[in-house]
Amino acid sequence: MVQATPLLLVLFLALGAHGLPPMWMCKLTGQWQNDLGSNMTIDEVKENGDFTGKYFTAVSASPEEIKESPLVGSQRLPYWSQPTFGFTVHWNFTSSPIESITVFTGQCFVDDNGKEILKTMWLLRSHVRSPRDDWKATLVGYNTFWRKEDLMD
């Protein structure tokens, strides 16, 4: 039986390891800043994956004063250690005819230094008056977000 003990230990660890929490968990909740200086706060991620928050952009083509805008999103379930997600920002500082809305999609990662980052791609859709102007209505881009407290280190 002494020889079987190491084998049983290896089997137990191999079969039971999937139930242990991952070493590196990436959580969306908190304050983030992207490569352009925009700030985002994601509130609690609910049990069903839904979340809300606020977005304050550092860049805009609008001549109006930039104001904090609401965001609504969802994280892919079941919860993985580095989840995918999507959210929509409804810009509340723009007015017709230049109103716009942006959708982001991305994934939360933990880098080699144990720091959480969000890699995102976005589509910004602006209002246009006719189908002839559709060609100029959508912008595409990408951003990387870091936790604000990690930027202060």
Side-chain angles (χ1 to χ4, degrees):
M1 186 66 178
V2 174
Q3 293 175 356
T5 303
L7 177 61
L8 290 174
L9 180 60
V10 169
L11 281 173
F12 170 77
L13 290 173
L15 296 174
H18 64 29
L20 298 174
M23 247 177 107
W24 303 108
M25 296 288 284
C26 192
K27 303 235 183 236
L28 295 178
T29 304
Q31 295 183 335
W32 300 87
Q33 187 173 74
N34 72 16
D35 44 329
L36 298 175
S38 298
N39 292 296
M40 172 176 65
T41 300
I42 296 178
D43 300 326
E44 174 189 8
V45 177
K46 297 182 181 156
E47 215 171 275
N48 66 356
D50 293 349
F51 59 87
T52 58
K54 299 174 276 286
Y55 198 101
F56 189 85
T57 186
V59 295
S60 174
S62 172
E64 298 179 40
E65 177 187 355
I66 296 174
K67 297 178 184 170
E68 192 172 75
S69 297
L71 70 82
V72 176
S74 185
Q75 173 184 298
R76 175 74 175 105
L77 294 176
Y79 186 82
W80 298 101
S81 62
Q82 300 189 104
T84 56
F85 60 89
F87 62 88
T88 302
V89 178
H90 182 259
W91 305 110
N92 64 10
F93 62 89
T94 60
S95 59
S96 190
I98 56 170
E99 68 180 59
S100 61
I101 194 164
T102 303
V103 294
F104 288 78
T105 186
Q107 187 169 355
C108 188
F109 291 101
V110 177
D111 68 15
D112 294 337
N113 298 316
K115 304 285 186 182
E116 295 167 296
I117 59 170
L118 305 180
K119 299 295 273 183
T120 65
M121 183 168 223
W122 51 263
L123 297 170
L124 182 145
R125 178 65 188 210
S126 296
H127 177 268
V128 292
R129 295 182 188 265
S130 74
R132 286 188 317 272
D133 294 329
D134 185 60
W135 67 271
K136 63 181 178 180
T138 304
L139 300 175
V140 180
Y142 57 91
N143 289 111
T144 300
F145 290 81
W146 295 268
R147 287 211 176 270
K148 283 187 80 170
E149 59 265 21
D150 289 343
L151 296 173
M152 296 177 194
D153 291 344

